[in-house]
Amino acid sequence: MQKKIEIYVAIDTGSVEEAKLLITKLKPNLCGIKIGKELFTLGGPQIVKWVQDLGFKVFLDLKFHDIPNTVQRACYVSAELGVSILNVHALGGIKMMKAAKEGVNSSKSNAKIIAVTMLTSHDQKSLHEIGIKQTMEEQVLRLAMNAAKSNLDGIVCSALDIKSMKQSLPKEFLFVTPGIRLENVKADDQKRISTPKNATESGSNILVIGRPITTSNNPERKLNEIIESIED
Ligand code: C5P
């Protein structure tokens, strides 16, 4: 029997109506909902509440990256929305991540706060383009260890990164992995992808899956297929 794995469906739609239509096709006992920059900009805290009222857990994916004081306050108000997970960019540094954690701690919530290491849309070439000389592996490990030093609950990373760094990180650290694609399908703008089963076997605790489910004719069936593919 596989360990219990959580799936958050990324709802990246161009309108609140479209998002609501999609979300009502899903079931809160099978997945949580990830609300990112596009949907939050359109729907604000009201859409978070609407989703929570249907019984879904919410991952608020706003990837804060700013001066420590601003991030602390943003994390405080996000946590007060009652979301289950929120996040910052590890590239903001240890001082910023510690401030983010303080923001969550000062709220009434027990939201998990995690850090994005390198976006799964990056590859070695695009790292060099922004002036990072290390290999992707070194860079992701450095950022993950900084997140652990800042007492964050885990990281967002590609499932391909987990095996090489698990032993350097706290035992209870959460690995949240986007860039999930079923076999033989298009990767869209994602570069470092894994199948749901490989991601789980690599040690991912939470899978973030968007377009493979949201662009399907039958999102609920696709989600079930994915769950079955993990349990196989
Ligand atoms: O549609 P797709 O499955 O590629 O969606 C992945 C989701 O995960 C998107 O909402 C994207 O913003 C988010 N994400 C990511 N890579 C990260 C962090 C978050 O793709 N490192």
Side-chain angles (χ1 to χ4, degrees):
M1 183 66 186
Q2 293 280 342
K3 68 176 171 163
K4 177 109 183 64
I5 180 105
E6 278 192 89
I7 296 179
Y8 278 78
V9 179
I11 306 289
D12 297 310
T13 56
S15 79
V16 170
E17 291 64 39
E18 208 185 320
K20 287 184 172 177
L21 208 67
L22 247 170
I23 292 163
T24 45
K25 291 181 183 154
L26 299 167
K27 301 233 164 58
N29 59 329
L30 294 182
C31 66
I33 299 295
K34 185 178 83 69
I35 297 180
K37 293 184 171 81
E38 186 179 11
L39 184 54
F40 191 74
T41 303
L42 288 166
Q46 297 87 330
I47 188 69
V48 173
K49 182 158 187 328
W50 186 88
V51 172
Q52 288 167 329
D53 286 347
L54 289 180
F56 290 98
K57 290 207 235 175
V58 173
F59 171 5
L60 189 61
D61 177 21
L62 299 180
K63 300 188 186 74
F64 297 123
H65 185 177
D66 210 314
I67 59 171
N69 182 58
T70 303
V71 170
Q72 180 168 352
R73 296 171 72 103
C75 288
Y76 169 75
V77 291
S78 300
E80 287 281 295
L81 294 177
V83 300
S84 304
I85 312 175
L86 61 113
N87 61 3
V88 296
H89 265 290
L91 284 168
I94 292 178
K95 206 165 168 202
M96 188 206 79
M97 286 192 277
K98 283 188 170 165
K101 178 75 176 176
E102 273 172 39
V104 174
N105 285 347
S106 61
S107 76
K108 293 188 290 294
S109 114
N110 54 4
K112 302 276 185 213
I113 172 148
I114 60 178
V116 178
T117 54
M118 291 312 298
L119 295 170
T120 42
S121 55
H122 271 299
D123 59 11
Q124 197 65 54
K125 192 164 161 252
S126 66
L127 271 199
H128 281 137
E129 186 185 274
I130 56 171
I132 294 172
K133 304 266 188 304
Q134 279 100 329
T135 63
M136 178 68 79
E137 217 171 73
E138 289 163 347
Q139 176 66 11
V140 170
L141 179 59
R142 172 187 285 250
L143 293 173
M145 288 172 76
N146 285 352
K149 274 187 209 153
S150 313
N151 285 322
L152 297 203
D153 298 296
I155 52 167
V156 184
C157 64
S158 163
L160 302 174
D161 300 327
I162 301 176
K163 269 194 179 140
S164 63
M165 57 184 176
K166 215 174 166 73
Q167 80 244 36
S168 313
L169 293 164
K171 231 171 88 211
E172 65 289 356
F173 216 51
L174 288 176
F175 294 94
V176 179
T177 58
I180 302 294
R181 290 294 179 272
L182 296 163
E183 244 138 357
N184 305 321
V185 296
K186 64 184 168 83
D188 304 306
D189 54 348
Q190 299 284 13
K191 299 239 167 69
R192 302 170 60 247
I193 58 174
S194 280
T195 64
K197 191 167 178 68
N198 286 343
T200 313
E201 287 175 353
S202 305
S204 174
N205 307 94
I206 298 176
L207 305 182
V208 170
I209 313 177
R211 287 161 290 184
I213 293 172
T214 58
T215 61
S216 146
N217 294 333
N218 188 334
E220 190 187 0
R221 191 167 63 211
K222 185 56 79 180
L223 176 60
N224 277 315
E225 269 174 35
I226 289 173
I227 294 169
E228 279 161 24
S229 80
I230 297 170
E231 286 166 354
D232 263 353

